[in-house]
Amino acid sequence: MKKLQFILLVALTIGFVTKNFAQHKRYKIKNGFSLGGGITQFDIITDNFETKKGDGWIANMSATVDIPQKWYNLSYGMQLSENTISTSGFDGIGGAIAQDVEYKIFTAQIQFLWHAKPFRTSHFTIDFGPMLQYNSDLELSDEQQEEFILADFDTVQAKAVKDLNNLNVNGTVGATLGLGFFKLRAQYIYGFTNILGALNDSEFNQALGKQFKGNQSMFTFTGMITF
């Protein structure tokens, strides 16, 4: 509950950013606000087991600083998303036909971005910057698959593989295109930290003794309305 309250507090804080103009040297700095949403494709890059990319949704809000005489703009904001990822499993030990076992993961990301303007205009920018992420543990999309045996672990049930590192650091790069109040943004987000690290201390791994390592990989495509 405390983590949820923290996320809502950050969202409300960003939401109070208003549009204004300030004189700085000989040009105006324009502050704005944007809301958006779109789709995601999520994966974890790991050698420990086979994964399949999954789709999801994303909603974001950001405060922007438009500096007309500079080669870049700045923004900071927050993104909330629910994503899916799959691996293979069998309905019981000795099952003959592998099925997709799908997990859900919720993420809340705070990001600070530079928006480079290659054509000296804000209509097209190349975006990059760091990101701090809180994410949930893995949750099965279908509770009836709880006792499925994961194909890569022989005797490990699907419900046992759930623990993730909940605080991660990411980097992001992408591009934004738009005219007027509407913009489209594509982003690639890569996790620098080991999101699977918590599995090393999980109960099922006490017998396996594996070293789990994985890095988040996430694509987003969003539409944004600016104010």
Side-chain angles (χ1 to χ4, degrees):
M1 179 60 71
K2 291 183 178 180
K3 292 178 180 177
L4 178 60
Q5 291 174 342
F6 170 75
I7 293 171
L8 292 175
L9 176 61
V10 173
L12 289 173
T13 301
I14 296 173
F16 281 110
V17 175
T18 58
K19 186 175 181 179
N20 62 80
F21 296 86
Q23 194 74 24
H24 180 69
K25 294 185 179 179
R26 295 183 180 178
Y27 54 87
K28 290 181 178 180
I29 297 177
K30 179 181 176 182
N31 296 332
F33 180 69
S34 66
L35 294 172
I39 58 175
T40 68
Q41 188 178 73
F42 183 87
D43 197 7
I44 296 176
I45 302 171
T46 178
D47 294 329
N48 295 113
F49 49 91
E50 294 292 331
T51 64
K52 181 184 294 185
K53 298 176 183 178
D55 299 325
W57 59 264
I58 188 168
N60 58 38
M61 58 181 68
S62 64
T64 59
V65 182
D66 188 357
I67 312 174
Q69 303 302 320
K70 294 290 187 179
W71 61 268
Y72 63 89
N73 292 334
L74 298 172
S75 73
Y76 61 93
M78 184 177 187
Q79 300 186 150
L80 303 176
S81 68
E82 184 180 80
N83 311 281
T84 59
I85 185 173
S86 301
T87 188
S88 296
F90 299 97
D91 187 5
I93 296 177
I97 301 176
Q99 302 180 41
D100 286 342
V101 178
E102 184 181 85
Y103 293 90
K104 295 186 293 185
I105 176 174
F106 176 83
T107 66
Q109 301 163 334
I110 298 174
Q111 61 182 1
F112 182 86
L113 298 180
W114 286 267
H115 304 276
K117 299 180 283 189
F119 306 116
R120 307 297 293 181
T121 174
S122 298
H123 298 325
F124 175 77
T125 62
I126 298 173
D127 317 318
F128 56 93
M131 178 180 290
L132 181 64
Q133 172 177 299
Y134 168 78
N135 54 262
S136 67
D137 291 331
L138 293 172
E139 178 184 348
L140 283 167
S141 298
D142 184 355
E143 294 183 355
Q144 295 183 354
Q145 293 184 323
E146 285 186 345
E147 297 184 0
F148 272 44
I149 304 300
L150 297 185
D152 295 283
F153 301 113
D154 296 330
T155 60
V156 177
Q157 293 183 328
K159 64 181 179 181
V161 180
K162 60 180 181 179
D163 297 330
L164 294 177
N165 280 356
N166 299 124
L167 191 63
N168 290 280
V169 177
N170 308 329
T172 179
V173 63
T176 302
L177 175 66
L179 293 172
F181 68 92
F182 184 74
K183 294 183 178 181
L184 295 173
R185 174 173 294 169
Q187 273 185 303
Y188 174 67
I189 300 167
Y190 178 80
F192 294 127
T193 48
N194 180 13
I195 196 171
L196 296 181
L199 289 178
N200 292 321
D201 300 321
S202 61
E203 184 176 346
F204 80 86
N205 196 42
Q206 293 179 4
L208 296 178
K210 289 183 175 290
Q211 289 296 316
F212 286 93
K213 186 178 186 306
N215 300 90
Q216 173 181 312
S217 176
M218 182 176 175
F219 287 95
T220 72
F221 185 76
T222 58
M224 300 182 299
I225 298 176
T226 60
F227 302 92

